[in-house]
Amino acid sequence: MKLKSSCVVINDMRLYAHHGVMEQEQRVGAYFTVSLRVHYNIYRAMMSDRVGDALSYADVADVVRQQMATPSQLLEHVAGRIAKALFDQFPRCTAVDIKLMKDNPPMGIDSNGAGVEAEFVREVSGER
């Protein structure tokens, strides 16, 4: 059997944070929903059944919580910070897919949210 791809997945992590362009958004805050896929090779954990060989989704969630606690104007900036922090903390992480949504954005329409989605790939040394 050959492993084609693998990742840790967290769906719809709901967090209260203070992101936004308007002063009131930054002061009052709002709920945000974060979903992500952190790509890494699960083969070692799959074969050993040892926690130390796996990428902990609880540790991944802690990184997301920490980055969401730092206010930013743009969700693009927050998504980039989350990806960078995940790459920095988890060397075995090869890619990160993030969906970051503001649950009730102040844009004069009723919606389930608005935000950004991004796919990040770890840079190889010398690559830009």
Side-chain angles (χ1 to χ4, degrees):
M1 164 172 66
K2 183 176 180 179
L3 179 65
K4 182 177 177 184
S5 67
S6 53
C7 56
V8 165
V9 178
I10 299 178
N11 284 323
D12 299 334
M13 185 176 175
R14 195 158 187 242
L15 301 161
Y16 199 84
H18 297 269
H19 307 306
V21 174
M22 294 187 285
E23 182 182 332
Q24 181 175 340
E25 292 176 289
Q26 293 179 5
R27 189 176 66 251
V28 175
Y31 280 101
F32 294 81
T33 302
V34 181
S35 295
L36 58 119
R37 300 169 63 85
V38 180
H39 298 261
Y40 85 107
N41 189 326
I42 69 166
Y43 185 80
R44 200 173 3 175
M46 180 180 77
M47 299 308 289
S48 73
D49 195 29
R50 290 191 333 232
V51 173
D53 289 336
L55 180 63
S56 166
Y57 48 80
D59 292 345
V60 168
D62 284 342
V63 169
V64 173
R65 258 192 296 274
Q66 290 167 9
Q67 293 304 313
M68 288 295 290
T70 301
S72 289
Q73 289 187 34
L74 300 177
L75 296 184
E76 292 86 345
H77 184 73
V78 180
R81 280 200 336 258
I82 291 170
K84 182 181 182 324
L86 290 169
F87 286 132
D88 289 348
Q89 187 157 339
F90 306 110
R92 293 178 15 206
C93 169
T94 59
V96 176
D97 304 329
I98 298 175
K99 180 178 179 182
L100 173 55
M101 305 293 289
K102 183 172 237 176
D103 289 1
N104 190 19
M107 51 186 199
I109 62 168
D110 185 27
S111 75
N112 286 331
V116 297
E117 288 189 47
E119 298 176 17
F120 299 92
V121 178
R122 181 182 293 281
E123 285 186 319
V124 178
S125 183
E127 180 182 306
R128 282 247 177 240

